[in-house]
Amino acid sequence: MLRESVRALAEAKIAPFAAAVDEEARFPQEAHDALVANDLHAVHVPESYGGAGADALATVIVIEEVARVCASSSLIPAVNKLGSLPVILSGSEELKKKYMTPLAKGDGMFSYCLSEPDAGSDAAGMKTKAVRDGDYWVLNGVKRWITNAGVSEYYTVMAVTDPEKRSKGISAFVVEKSDPGVSFGAPEKKLGIKGSPTREVYLDNVRIPADRMIGAEGTGFATAMKTLDHTRITIAAQALGIAQGALDYAKGYVQERKQFGKPIADFQGVQFMLADMAMKIEAARQLTYAAAAKSERGDKDLTFQGAAAKCFASDVAMEVTTDAVQLLGGYGYTRDYPVERMMRDAKITQIYEGTNQIQRIVMARNLP
């Protein structure tokens, strides 16, 4: 029922704008409004804060179905989870009430600020600092590659509170868009997910109350990594949706397109491509859903399974979307058809929330 209702909504309210959102590189406001109206913008927020209380698997299905028609739009529920999960996992009860309630209502989105210009895969090498000043913390630094920056109201920011301790000297804070000293860089000009703004976040003497720290001092990096164990699965879901959208479109196309007097779907070479695409998507789906169940239960092997799902599903998405473009031939290479957009969108799933090379390191360190 959940899948059917999200698919119907995505087809009716999100799909019609997907090409324009990509072409104009603009935030998918129509998708945002439709998701908020149907309480699908942040389904993971617990019911106690006015949220839908969806479990990890339900969240995955929502993201998958939105990504099937528009990858940029699927980053609304995905990044709302990424940005707010540190507060859910480690924040005080007061902090949760203060920020989960407006998030659940749709009054503000949540972004996640970990990466920096010189700290990408080596996130512990960050330079952003937070210095204690009485009942306040003062933050200074630059965060890069921040999804939905400038649109989101709330930001989970990782900053160094004790430079001597490397990863154990990093703390997490909630910063608000309206805090004095917060500003944003120009939107990045990207290959794909053009409807999701990616910008730098500048923190210039941003003074925030001490109770905006998420968890205890020095636990920020551990919270950031724990968050990614859960949210990598949402990227797997996004990749899965993109791949499914590409297969669905290609499947319809090859039945219509005639060459040598018959539909190209009748040729075995084409059939084998479709069979491989469907098989790999199904394998990615099973891995992703199993990882989502582990995320919900908090299983010991979640770190491995989350990395495996993200890595496998994103590699499948890149392969399947590339094959979809091939199946459409010259038409696939034009912007008149959606598969070239899907191919461009798929690429980022192999890069963000930890490159697939980093996922392989994570898996190797956590072999079951």
Side-chain angles (χ1 to χ4, degrees):
M1 276 173 67
L2 174 68
R3 186 186 301 282
E4 279 171 15
S5 60
V6 180
R7 182 166 294 194
L9 177 81
E11 295 277 5
K13 299 284 173 72
I14 299 174
F17 303 100
V21 160
D22 175 70
E23 197 72 37
E24 296 159 26
R26 65 170 176 83
F27 182 72
Q29 193 61 47
E30 299 89 351
H32 176 269
D33 295 347
L35 290 167
V36 169
N38 290 274
D39 207 9
L40 293 167
H41 61 291
V43 287
H44 69 285
V45 178
E47 288 176 10
S48 49
Y49 308 110
D55 64 16
L57 180 57
T59 306
V60 154
I61 290 168
V62 170
I63 293 164
E64 179 189 350
E65 287 301 326
V66 176
R68 183 176 159 271
V69 301
C70 178
S72 293
S73 299
S74 71
L75 283 161
I76 295 168
V79 175
N80 275 338
K81 180 165 182 174
L82 173 64
S84 64
L85 200 61
V87 179
I88 293 172
L89 291 173
S90 306
S92 65
E93 194 51 45
E94 293 72 34
L95 213 56
K96 289 180 197 176
K97 277 201 185 93
K98 183 174 181 183
Y99 291 109
M100 293 308 104
T101 310
L103 175 63
K105 272 191 201 149
D107 291 344
M109 299 199 308
F110 233 112
S111 288
Y112 182 80
C113 301
L114 179 64
S115 294
E116 294 185 5
D118 296 318
S121 294
D122 178 18
M126 68 178 67
K127 308 264 192 323
T128 296
K129 284 193 169 54
V131 178
R132 186 85 192 222
D133 181 17
D135 290 337
Y136 292 85
W137 285 92
V138 180
L139 278 68
N140 279 286
V142 179
K143 293 293 179 179
R144 181 171 278 178
W145 313 123
I146 308 309
T147 305
N148 293 341
V151 181
S152 291
E153 284 297 322
Y154 312 116
Y155 299 81
T156 289
V157 176
M158 309 298 161
V160 177
T161 46
D162 186 344
E164 304 296 304
K165 293 185 178 167
R166 197 158 156 82
S167 67
K168 290 191 166 59
I170 292 169
S171 304
F173 302 86
V174 178
V175 171
E176 298 182 15
K177 182 181 174 179
S178 56
D179 288 333
V182 175
S183 61
F184 306 97
E188 302 287 350
K189 294 183 171 77
K190 297 173 303 190
L191 175 73
I193 57 162
K194 292 183 179 184
S196 175
T198 306
R199 301 165 79 172
E200 286 189 326
V201 177
Y202 304 125
L203 305 157
D204 185 15
N205 286 323
V206 177
R207 194 178 166 80
I208 60 171
D211 62 7
R212 291 229 219 125
M213 183 182 272
I214 302 168
E217 188 176 337
T219 62
F221 193 75
T223 295
M225 295 301 107
K226 202 160 126 192
T227 296
L228 293 175
D229 284 345
H230 294 277
T231 58
R232 280 180 181 135
I233 299 159
T234 67
I235 301 304
Q238 183 188 43
L240 189 55
I242 295 169
Q244 188 66 58
L247 173 61
D248 290 350
Y249 195 89
K251 201 169 65 179
Y253 179 87
V254 297
Q255 286 161 349
E256 300 289 319
R257 172 74 171 164
K258 290 190 169 66
Q259 290 291 277
F260 307 101
K262 57 182 177 179
I264 61 170
D266 288 355
F267 293 99
Q268 197 176 52
V270 168
Q271 291 171 0
F272 281 6
M273 282 177 77
L274 289 165
D276 279 343
M277 290 158 81
M279 173 177 68
K280 285 168 186 163
I281 290 171
E282 196 47 46
R285 182 172 286 114
Q286 297 300 333
L287 191 54
T288 302
Y289 288 8
K294 286 175 182 295
S295 162
E296 193 58 33
R297 293 191 299 261
D299 286 2
K300 282 195 180 69
D301 58 350
L302 172 62
T303 303
F304 175 89
Q305 297 289 347
K310 189 269 190 196
C311 187
F312 187 80
S314 59
D315 282 352
V316 164
M318 197 65 238
E319 195 180 333
V320 165
T321 53
T322 304
D323 282 349
V325 169
Q326 189 70 20
L327 285 167
L328 267 70
Y331 295 111
Y333 205 68
T334 69
R335 294 219 285 258
D336 298 332
Y337 292 81
V339 290
E340 66 84 35
R341 180 184 80 239
M342 293 167 175
M343 180 179 165
R344 287 185 288 106
D345 289 342
K347 185 62 208 168
I348 192 61
T349 64
Q350 295 180 306
I351 297 171
Y352 59 12
E353 286 205 35
T355 64
N356 283 1
Q357 287 68 33
I358 289 289
Q359 303 308 327
R360 287 174 169 90
I361 292 171
V362 170
M363 283 187 271
R365 286 179 183 164
N366 292 278
L367 289 172

